[in-house]
């Protein structure tokens, strides 16, 4: 696909719509990303979405009052003034609406056809990948490899006249989070800054970037947008496919969960509680920890976005010293998805399952009794009684935040790193099907149960805080050093030296 033809069509510094960058016939015989949906069709999709959220979302008014949500719903409807593409509708209307709910599980996805179209395809974007934290933006990579005006390690202070706080605030308005725990969104920006910047601000032919270089000198430069060359993109896709084919099942699982031993500790990384065959891995790992007489565990959950609560509970059993529950309360507002079942993924099956797992109580809500009532006991075999350092951060979310709450405060457990993105008070989830809007086919994730954590804190809106804060060290990033692992290993080493000298 040729991208450079856009330059002829664009006026310098004029934002352009993303969709015309694609030539649909080269990607699919049936899907046209440039297609615009009539105003009436968009309004129909939006009204359906509002009705489903108001009737089925368990925590629509958890952080935002009904009066305020009504205003946000009306504002979104009024934003539909003309026909729009799928992308425009998603990012200009749906995303800003969902961010006002402050539920990290209520996000939107592009249609399945869109995802098929965009798979293995690079598109023009803002050219810098950035490490973002607080109000800081450090250049990790300049996608325009031949451009030497701004380099890795330079600090961006503004883009196109907007300062960093203004940029971050605008980007956050299209992003979701649990309560007000924004750490997860800083991580998302670090992973995909060009993606979020393009879809929020649009694409520019060139960008004025203010920055400070490695010597602390303030500079300003004009850099072009990143336009992948077709041949290089095809070559990269080909190499990616070859690499994927070479990766065995064992190696793919190792990317999700792994363990490394040294003389003083075991570093256990668990990046997901889903699709990881975690039970045999944990059994084997904690057996090895016992046999090797390891006294310190570094449990890395920084990139664990959650998944199966049962796996979170299993991990808790190996670490926690006494019995525990998962939830003080777990309930939905409705007994099933009717009358919207046809718009919900696996609607019939989910409705059938809900008959057996939830029961209406005097408060009028449908409670998931198992998670409210069941008491779990610690594992006796291979239970770990040494010191556990749990690495946490913004992507520590959902079921992994349940684990953090369960072990926080235990004498031999230290949470280290940054505040989790998952809510400390609780979150919405357990069952999270997709709503598919009938016209645009946009999808919106719909958590069905509200879960309030066992022995929850009184204040809503924060993530689980660390016991030892370990923030970003930009010098370590440039050196390729994992700051949090380094600091924790130093803590272990210092404790070991104290024991030896005593």
């Amino acid at each position: 696909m040729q991208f450079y033809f856009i330059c002829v069509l664009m006026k310098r510094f004029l934002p352009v719509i993303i969709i015309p960058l694609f030539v649909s016939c080269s990607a699919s015989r049936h899907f046209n990303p440039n297609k615009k949906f009539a105003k009436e069709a968009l309004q129909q999709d939006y009204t359906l979405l509002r009705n489903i959220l108001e009737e089925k979302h368990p925590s629509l008014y958890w952080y935002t009052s009904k009066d305020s949500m009504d205003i946000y719903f009306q504002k979104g409807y009024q934003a539909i003034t003309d026909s729009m593409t799928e992308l425009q509708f998603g990012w200009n209307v749906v995303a800003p609406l969902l961010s006002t709910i402050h539920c990290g599980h209520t996000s939107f996805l592009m249609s399945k056809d869109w995802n098929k179209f965009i798979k293995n395809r690079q598109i023009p974007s803002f050219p810098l990948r950035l490490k973002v934290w607080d109000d800081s933006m450090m250049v990790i990579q300049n996608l325009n490899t031949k451009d030497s005006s701004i380099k890795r390690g330079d600090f961006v202070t503004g883009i196109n006249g907007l300062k960093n706080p203004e940029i971050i605030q605008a980007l956050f308005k299209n992003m979701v989070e649990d309560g007000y725990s924004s750490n997860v969104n800083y991580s998302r920006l670090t992973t995909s800054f060009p993606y979020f910047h393009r879809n929020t601000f649009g694409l520019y032919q060139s960008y004025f970037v203010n920055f400070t270089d490695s010597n602390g000198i303030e500079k300003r430069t004009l850099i072009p947008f990143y336009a992948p060359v077709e041949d290089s993109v095809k070559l990269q896709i080909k190499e990616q496919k070859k690499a994927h084919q070479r990766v065995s099942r064992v190696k793919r699982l190792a990317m999700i969960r792994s363990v490394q031993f040294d003389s003083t500790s075991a570093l256990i990384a668990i990046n997901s509680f889903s699709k990881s065959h975690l039970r045999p891995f944990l059994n084997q790992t904690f057996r090895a920890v016992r046999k090797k007489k390891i006294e310190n565990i570094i449990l890395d959950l920084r990139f664990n976005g959650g998944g199966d609560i049962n796996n979170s509970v299993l991990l808790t059993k190996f670490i926690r010293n006494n019995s525990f529950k998962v939830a003080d309360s777990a309930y939905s507002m409705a007994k099933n998805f009717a009358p919207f079942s046809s718009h919900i993924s696996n609607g019939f099956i989910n409705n059938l399952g809900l008959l057996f797992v939830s029961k209406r109580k005097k408060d009028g809500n449908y409670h998931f009794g198992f998670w409210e009532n069941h008491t779990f006991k610690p594992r006796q075999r291979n239970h770990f009684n040494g010191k556990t350092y749990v690495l946490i951060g913004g992507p520590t979310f959902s079921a992994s935040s349940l684990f953090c709450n369960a072990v926080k405060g235990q004498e031999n457990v230290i949470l280290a790193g940054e505040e989790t993105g998952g809510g400390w008070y609780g979150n919405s989830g357990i069952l999270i099907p997709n709503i598919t809007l009938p016209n645009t086919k946009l999808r919106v994730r719909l958590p069905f149960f509200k879960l309030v954590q066992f022995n929850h804190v009184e204040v809503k809106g924060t993530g689980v805080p660390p016991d030892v804060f370990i923030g970003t060290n930009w010098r370590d990033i440039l050196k390729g050093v994992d700051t949090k692992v380094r600091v924790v290993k130093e803590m272990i080493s210092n404790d070991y030296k104290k024991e030896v000298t005593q």
Side-chain angles (χ1 to χ4, degrees), residues 1 15 59 79 151 162 169 171 179 206-207 209-210 230 250 263 277 280-281 310 324 330 337 348 391 407 448 494:
M1 188 189 305
S59 53
K151 302 181 180 66
L162 294 178
Q169 183 180 21
L171 296 175
S206 301
Y207 297 85
V209 177
N210 293 79
E230 183 180 8
V250 173
S263 59
H277 295 277
F281 170 79
N310 291 293
F324 64 98
F337 294 100
F348 174 77
L391 300 183
V407 301
F448 196 64
N494 290 337

Side-chain angles (χ1 to χ4, degrees), residues 113-122 237 240-241:
D113 284 338
W114 171 276
N115 286 343
K116 290 178 182 177
F117 165 78
I118 205 69
K119 186 178 181 180
N120 295 326
R121 178 172 282 100
Q122 293 187 12
I237 292 171
Q240 288 174 349
K241 288 182 177 179

Side-chain angles (χ1 to χ4, degrees), residues 332-403:
S332 64
M333 296 177 60
K335 64 180 179 180
N336 55 41
F337 294 100
F340 308 109
S341 303
S342 62
H343 302 292
I344 305 295
S345 57
N346 300 315
F348 174 77
I349 296 174
N350 284 328
N351 287 344
L352 187 63
L354 289 169
L355 289 174
F356 301 97
V357 301
S358 61
K359 183 178 180 180
R360 189 174 185 178
K361 292 190 176 181
K362 292 181 180 180
D363 61 3
N365 295 315
Y366 294 81
H367 288 254
F368 202 135
F370 177 79
W371 296 120
E372 291 181 342
N373 302 323
H374 192 81
T375 299
F376 299 93
K377 296 181 179 180
R379 276 286 185 102
Q380 293 184 353
R381 188 175 185 181
N382 297 322
H383 184 275
F384 183 69
N385 299 309
K387 200 147 191 180
T388 301
Y389 299 83
V390 185
L391 300 183
I392 60 175
T396 309
F397 202 79
S398 193
S400 59
S401 65
L402 298 181
F403 168 83

Side-chain angles (χ1 to χ4, degrees), residues 408-423:
K408 186 175 176 61
Q410 187 167 295
E411 186 177 0
N412 64 328
V413 175
I414 294 177
L415 304 186
E418 302 174 66
E419 181 182 314
T420 69

Side-chain angles (χ1 to χ4, degrees), residues 74-90:
Q74 188 62 29
K75 183 179 178 181
Y77 189 86
Q78 292 172 348
I80 307 172
T81 58
D82 201 349
S83 60
M84 295 181 184
T85 63
E86 177 185 337
L87 190 68
Q88 290 170 330
F89 180 59

Side-chain angles (χ1 to χ4, degrees), residues 260-484:
Q260 300 175 27
F261 293 97
D262 61 27
S263 59
T264 59
S265 64
L267 174 58
I268 305 172
I270 302 175
N271 297 326
S272 175
F273 285 129
S274 295
K275 299 179 181 179
S276 56
H277 295 277
L278 199 60
R279 183 173 294 275
F281 170 79
L282 289 178
N283 288 332
Q284 294 167 11
T285 297
F286 281 95
R287 185 187 305 119
V289 166
R290 175 178 59 80
K291 289 184 176 181
K292 292 176 181 289
K293 298 181 179 181
I294 297 295
E295 296 181 358
N296 299 281
I297 280 180
I298 304 172
L299 184 57
D300 191 351
L301 299 182
R302 286 174 294 173
F303 307 104
N304 191 314
D308 190 340
I309 297 178
N310 291 293
N311 283 333
S312 172
V313 168
L314 176 61
L315 178 61
T316 307
K317 289 179 178 180
F318 281 103
I319 303 297
R320 184 165 166 128
N321 290 335
N322 49 29
S323 299
F324 64 98
K325 292 182 179 180
V326 169
D328 279 348
S329 62
Y331 61 85
S332 64
M333 296 177 60
K335 64 180 179 180
N336 55 41
F337 294 100
F340 308 109
S341 303
S342 62
H343 302 292
I344 305 295
S345 57
N346 300 315
F348 174 77
I349 296 174
N350 284 328
N351 287 344
L352 187 63
L354 289 169
L355 289 174
F356 301 97
V357 301
S358 61
K359 183 178 180 180
R360 189 174 185 178
K361 292 190 176 181
K362 292 181 180 180
D363 61 3
N365 295 315
Y366 294 81
H367 288 254
F368 202 135
F370 177 79
W371 296 120
E372 291 181 342
N373 302 323
H374 192 81
T375 299
F376 299 93
K377 296 181 179 180
R379 276 286 185 102
Q380 293 184 353
R381 188 175 185 181
N382 297 322
H383 184 275
F384 183 69
N385 299 309
K387 200 147 191 180
T388 301
Y389 299 83
V390 185
L391 300 183
I392 60 175
T396 309
F397 202 79
S398 193
S400 59
S401 65
L402 298 181
F403 168 83
C404 292
N405 177 69
V407 301
K408 186 175 176 61
Q410 187 167 295
E411 186 177 0
N412 64 328
V413 175
I414 294 177
L415 304 186
E418 302 174 66
E419 181 182 314
T420 69
W424 193 10
Y425 183 91
N427 59 59
S428 298
I430 300 180
L431 175 62
I432 315 175
N434 290 331
I435 304 166
T436 300
L437 302 180
N439 296 310
T440 59
K441 305 301 180 184
L442 274 178
R443 294 167 294 161
V444 174
R445 300 180 75 214
L446 175 65
F448 196 64
F449 288 91
K450 176 192 286 188
L451 186 152
V452 177
Q453 294 241 42
F454 176 66
N455 283 345
H456 60 83
V457 292
E458 293 301 319
V459 179
K460 297 185 297 183
T462 71
V464 182
D467 301 310
V468 176
F469 176 78
I470 307 173
T472 299
N473 184 317
W474 62 270
R475 292 181 178 86
D476 277 355
I477 293 174
L478 294 179
K479 295 176 184 177
V481 174
D482 189 326
T483 302
K484 295 173 177 57

